[in-house]
Each structure stands twice: as structure tokens, then as C-alpha cells.
Amino acid sequence: MSNKVYVTREIPKIGLDILSKYFEVEVNKKNRPLTKDELISKIKGKDAVLTQLTDQIDKEVLEKADTVKIFANYAVGYNNIDIEFAEKRKIIVTNTPEVLSDTTAELAWALLFAVSRRVVEGNNYVRKGKWKQFSPKLLLGQDINNKTLGIIGAGRIGKAFAKKSIGYDMEILYHNRSRDMEFEKEYNAKWVDMDTLLNKSDFISLHVPLTDETYHLIGKNELDNMKKTAILINTSRGAVIDEEALVKALENEKIWGAGLDVFENEPVVHNKLLDMDNVVLLPHIGSASTETRDKMAKIAANNIVQVLNGKDPISQVK
Ligand code: GLV
Ligand code: GLV
């Protein structure tokens, strides 16, 4: 009998085709994440599960996953899975690193451009019929050229973000647990402590995973420490920022603006953010390009193929 695989949301065909070649595959066809009860009942008797970042694979789920050998997460981030408990249960967890780094970095730049040059405000202005004539002081934004870029978290995505600043003559500051001399040399990036990064950067972009250490990494004190003209970009995980503190900082003009692809309680967005002009809000689409989602589907599927064939996965989370 062939192995059974459960896929918690429909992913690109390329991934499903790989799985269907070897296994009996069941896909959640509902256009929404499963509830915990649905999830627990669906993974019963399955050998592998392909999960999304919206699936909470906690102790309760893992305890009931008797037959599951691998959870293949369709994301680079895996804060939705209790990794330690999975390891205790000898269940393999994999993610989809590398293939989405440039795509996510591009979205961080899209947000930075959109906020600094007020692209969404301008678009709404035109569409609402408010544009009556050219105006010399209409929608004045900020230059990106020659500014100081602050990158918090210099993993693959943070570095890809830094790389894309070439051409804008920027000074690059970064903060990371460890220094990377090669990166510093290649991009003329300077490692600084957190305080220095916060008060010297014109634009700050977050590229850390969500862990106990990075939860609310950016709170009231950190926001107070930023320039009044600072723009904060977040394409990592919402809870890296204390959203309530961010709302207050934006309301009180402690910083200039924010570009957010992720939120503390997705898909719920703080209702005050919804009314602010100086923020651009996106529905967690950092890796959402056709090419990259295909690559993610392939990696996630191949991780399952490897493990169910008794081989090492391609990208195991440790
Ligand atoms: C998306 O947020 C991911 O972690 O891949
Ligand atoms: C992504 O792959 C990262 O490690 O930042």
C-alpha cells in the first residue's frame, strides 16, 4: 500500500504532481485553513503532512500525529510548529529556505518605495477623482538615495535585501547575533549595536525569525529611539513588533511611516492601522510570486519524497 500524504491547503500543481506520482494524496479543497479539530482528524493515519504557516502544529497536534513521519512546512518560517516537541517525537520538520529570499527582499523594497514616495496614497488620490491640477507641494515623500539603511537580521533574506540597495548609494548598517565579515566586505555593511541602528537609520527593515528572543523586539523604547523621519518595514513575522506600540508611535508621529506585510493577529489588522495614510498594508505576500511559489511547492514535496523513501530531507529544520 502506498504512503498517505495530507496537504492542508492547495499548493501549486508542480508540488502536487510530485506527490501524486508516489503517494496517495489528499488535499484540503476548502479555501481556508482547517480548524484544529479538522486538522487533527485529517492527519490521522497519514505518513506525511504538507503544512502552511497558518497551521498550528503544537503539542496537542503532535501527540495525535502517531503515524506522521514528516511535517513539510510551506514557508521558510516555522514558528507555527513546536520544533522541540516534534524532535522528541522523532518527527522531521522541513521548511523552504533560499528559494524565497530574493522574492521576499523585493517585497520589502516594494513596501519601502511605496511608503517613502506615498505610492498608495497617490493612487487613491487619482482614483477618487481628487486630482485637479499639478501641485508643487502635493504628496511630498522622502528620497531613498544616499540614506542610511538599517537591517535587523542578516540571514539570507536580510542579505538579499541589502544586496538590492546597490545603485542607491546607501550606507548599510546591520544588527545580527553574529557578524558576517564576508557580507560586511561585499556590501560595505557595518555591524552596529541595536541602539545605534535604531537612532542612525533612515529606514529599518526586519528580517529575523519569530522566536522567544525576537517576540516584540520592536516596542515602545525601540520606536522612541528611531528618527522622527524613520520608515519601518516588516516582512518577517508580525509579533516581532509590538503592534500596539507601533500604532501609538505612528499616531504621535514618533516615526514617519511603516510598510507591513505581516501582523500580530493575522488576518486581523489593528483597526487604527486601517485608517492611517502613512502605512502600507499587505496580506502576507512576501514569497508570493508564481516562480517562487512553484519552487517552494517542489521543495516541500521533495522533502516528503525523500523522508518517506527513508532518505535525508533537503531542508530539515533544526
Ligand atoms: C512566509 O512568511 C515564510 O515564512 O515563508
Ligand atoms: C531565509 O532563508 C533566512 O534565513 O533569512
Side-chain angles (χ1 to χ4, degrees):
M1 249 188 43
S2 69
N3 283 311
K4 292 190 173 66
V5 177
Y6 189 71
V7 180
T8 68
R9 289 298 290 277
E10 194 152 0
I11 58 161
K13 185 171 178 299
I14 191 164
L16 295 177
D17 285 350
I18 292 170
L19 292 172
S20 306
K21 210 156 94 190
Y22 304 96
F23 314 120
E24 196 178 307
V25 182
E26 185 184 340
V27 183
N28 167 25
K29 294 279 186 185
K30 294 186 188 77
N31 195 21
R32 61 160 176 84
L34 297 179
T35 64
K36 182 178 270 188
D37 286 345
E38 288 172 334
L39 183 65
I40 287 172
S41 115
K42 283 295 182 187
I43 68 178
K44 219 175 154 173
K46 302 297 190 300
D47 300 283
V49 184
L50 196 150
T51 52
Q52 299 291 327
L53 55 89
T54 40
D55 299 315
Q56 294 308 320
I57 310 299
D58 55 14
K59 281 197 179 66
E60 190 188 347
V61 174
L62 288 164
E63 261 164 3
K64 301 205 165 125
D66 291 333
T67 51
V68 178
K69 294 177 191 70
I70 168 176
F71 284 94
N73 213 36
Y74 186 73
V76 67
Y78 46 84
N79 54 291
N80 57 308
I81 303 181
D82 187 334
I83 299 300
E84 275 171 33
F85 197 71
E87 201 177 337
K88 261 191 214 142
R89 303 258 311 163
K90 302 215 170 7
I91 300 174
I92 291 172
V93 177
T94 60
N95 67 344
T96 61
E98 293 173 33
V99 292
L100 50 64
S101 301
D102 282 312
T103 306
T104 306
E106 284 177 11
L107 194 83
W109 276 101
L111 282 169
L112 181 50
F113 280 114
V115 178
S116 67
R117 295 302 302 274
R118 305 174 67 174
V119 171
V120 177
E121 271 180 276
N123 179 67
N124 291 341
Y125 189 83
V126 173
R127 285 173 190 267
K128 285 185 180 145
K130 290 188 184 168
W131 189 29
K132 302 300 180 211
Q133 72 273 305
F134 172 83
S135 300
K137 298 211 293 188
L138 177 65
L139 287 172
L140 301 185
Q142 294 193 42
D143 284 331
I144 284 185
N145 202 53
N146 268 313
K147 295 283 175 66
T148 299
L149 194 58
I151 301 171
I152 299 179
R156 281 170 288 226
I157 300 173
K159 283 181 197 154
F161 180 77
K163 181 174 177 183
K164 294 179 198 311
S165 72
I166 289 175
Y168 289 96
D169 297 319
M170 304 184 90
E171 182 178 1
I172 299 180
L173 305 179
Y174 80 104
H175 184 76
N176 199 54
R177 269 182 309 192
S178 57
R179 287 183 63 167
D180 182 334
M181 296 310 181
E182 213 171 297
F183 168 65
E184 291 185 21
K185 218 169 122 197
E186 197 169 352
Y187 298 107
N188 207 10
K190 199 167 142 198
W191 186 95
V192 289
D193 59 44
M194 193 68 166
D195 278 348
T196 307
L197 185 136
L198 295 171
N199 62 53
K200 292 255 191 296
S201 300
D202 295 303
F203 312 126
I204 296 172
S205 192
L206 304 176
H207 299 287
V208 290
L210 176 61
T211 63
D212 290 344
E213 287 81 46
T214 62
Y215 176 80
H216 284 192
L217 181 68
I218 303 297
K220 181 181 184 302
N221 291 340
E222 290 70 28
L223 290 155
D224 283 346
N225 231 332
M226 294 179 194
K227 294 185 181 186
K228 277 192 77 153
T229 49
I231 295 174
L232 178 64
I233 304 297
N234 192 10
T235 53
S236 63
R237 284 293 180 268
V240 173
I241 300 178
D242 175 346
E243 210 162 275
E244 198 62 51
L246 175 63
V247 165
K248 291 218 171 74
L250 289 163
E251 274 181 332
N252 300 327
E253 296 180 12
K254 296 252 184 207
I255 66 170
W256 199 79
L260 308 170
D261 183 44
V262 289
F263 302 88
E264 265 203 91
N265 303 300
E266 294 177 15
V268 178
V269 176
H270 197 297
N271 57 14
K272 286 195 173 156
L273 288 175
L274 296 172
D275 288 331
M276 290 178 180
D277 286 330
N278 53 339
V279 296
V280 173
L281 311 169
L282 294 177
H284 202 149
I285 54 169
S287 64
S289 73
T290 307
E291 300 95 318
T292 289
R293 287 286 163 86
D294 276 356
K295 289 179 193 158
M296 289 164 66
K298 250 168 107 170
I299 293 184
N302 282 326
N303 272 315
I304 291 176
V305 171
Q306 288 286 106
V307 169
L308 294 189
N309 283 325
K311 296 186 193 141
D312 287 338
I314 308 156
S315 48
Q316 182 166 4
V317 162
K318 300 215 176 68

